[in-house]
Amino acid sequence: MQTAEVAVAYAYEFGNGWALGAGVQTSVNRFRTDQLTLKFCPTAGNYEWDYSLGIGFNVGVYKSWEKFSVGAAFKSRQWNQGFDKYDDLIGESIDYPHSLRVGVAWRPVERLEVTLDYEYQHWQGVPPAESTMLEGGLDWDNCNAVKVGLEYKATERLTLMCGYSYGTTVIDKDHVFLNVLSPSIIEHHVGGGV
């Protein structure tokens, strides 16, 4: 499965350090597989690409002070069309869950910023993630993630960044084999950049 997302958003910064933004998110998804169905027959999709469109919205708020900043964002469920060629394998559309993110940033010195974020993804409210395996679903759990990052402005032209993220897996140990179609799930992630 491949997804391309495009968001159109508008944000307004008030004069008192507050900012508010909102947007519409669209997606184009494509999918193909030679996976067996629950009846142990090859899927009727015959490993051909099938396409679907999706739409959702997001809204966020941000406040900045001299040493601290806080922010929160809500992203709606991304409603997607179903895949017609693979309806024998995937009976429902593959929507993305709504999510809530909150974060805080601290600037102990002028060139250093430390950030801490929390994210919640509500997979159990989205078909087929919430459906059981016998119903043709994925039987996923909700996801909670915590992220920490550092950004250091070494010079006017050079910024160093690093971060760590931990997120709970949506797939429990009893459903690993049956989630072969799912994207890879990463619990621990370390990143850096310049």
Side-chain angles (χ1 to χ4, degrees):
M1 181 169 176
Q2 298 174 341
T3 298
E5 291 185 341
V6 174
V8 177
Y10 176 77
Y12 181 78
E13 185 174 350
F14 299 92
N16 57 4
W18 284 95
L20 178 67
V24 175
Q25 224 163 276
T26 61
S27 65
V28 176
N29 310 286
R30 72 181 198 161
F31 178 82
R32 74 175 179 180
T33 185
D34 56 3
Q35 176 82 15
L36 294 176
T37 67
L38 289 175
K39 296 177 182 177
F40 296 103
C41 300
T43 180
N46 200 27
Y47 202 63
E48 295 176 7
W49 285 110
D50 197 1
Y51 294 84
S52 77
L53 300 175
I55 193 163
F57 68 90
N58 53 48
V59 63
V61 63
Y62 173 80
K63 169 70 172 156
S64 179
W65 295 274
E66 185 179 329
K67 294 277 186 185
F68 288 95
S69 300
V70 295
F74 173 80
K75 181 179 172 186
S76 78
R77 177 172 165 177
Q78 181 90 7
W79 294 276
N80 292 312
Q81 296 173 316
F83 291 107
D84 295 331
K85 294 180 182 178
Y86 293 97
D87 62 355
D88 60 341
L89 181 64
I90 305 168
E92 303 176 71
S93 64
I94 300 178
D95 293 349
Y96 302 129
H98 66 265
S99 64
L100 176 66
R101 299 174 185 183
V102 294
V104 62
W106 174 47
R107 291 170 292 284
V109 295
E110 184 179 338
R111 294 181 178 264
L112 178 66
E113 183 171 75
V114 181
T115 59
L116 177 65
D117 294 327
Y118 167 77
E119 179 180 3
Y120 171 77
Q121 296 177 346
H122 188 67
W123 283 103
Q124 290 181 334
V126 178
E130 69 177 343
S131 305
T132 67
M133 293 289 175
L134 294 176
E135 297 169 331
L138 300 170
D139 211 4
W140 280 11
D141 295 324
N142 295 323
C143 178
N144 293 281
V146 177
K147 305 168 187 181
V148 64
L150 296 173
E151 180 178 297
Y152 179 69
K153 293 184 180 184
T155 68
E156 285 297 317
R157 298 183 59 174
L158 177 64
T159 301
L160 307 172
M161 296 168 281
C162 67
Y164 168 75
S165 160
Y166 170 75
T168 58
T169 182
V170 297
I171 302 170
D172 67 33
K173 64 180 181 175
D174 295 331
H175 299 102
V176 173
F177 178 75
L178 296 174
N179 271 280
V180 70
L181 283 177
S182 305
S184 59
I185 303 298
I186 299 171
E187 290 182 299
H188 301 273
H189 182 84
V190 177
V194 293

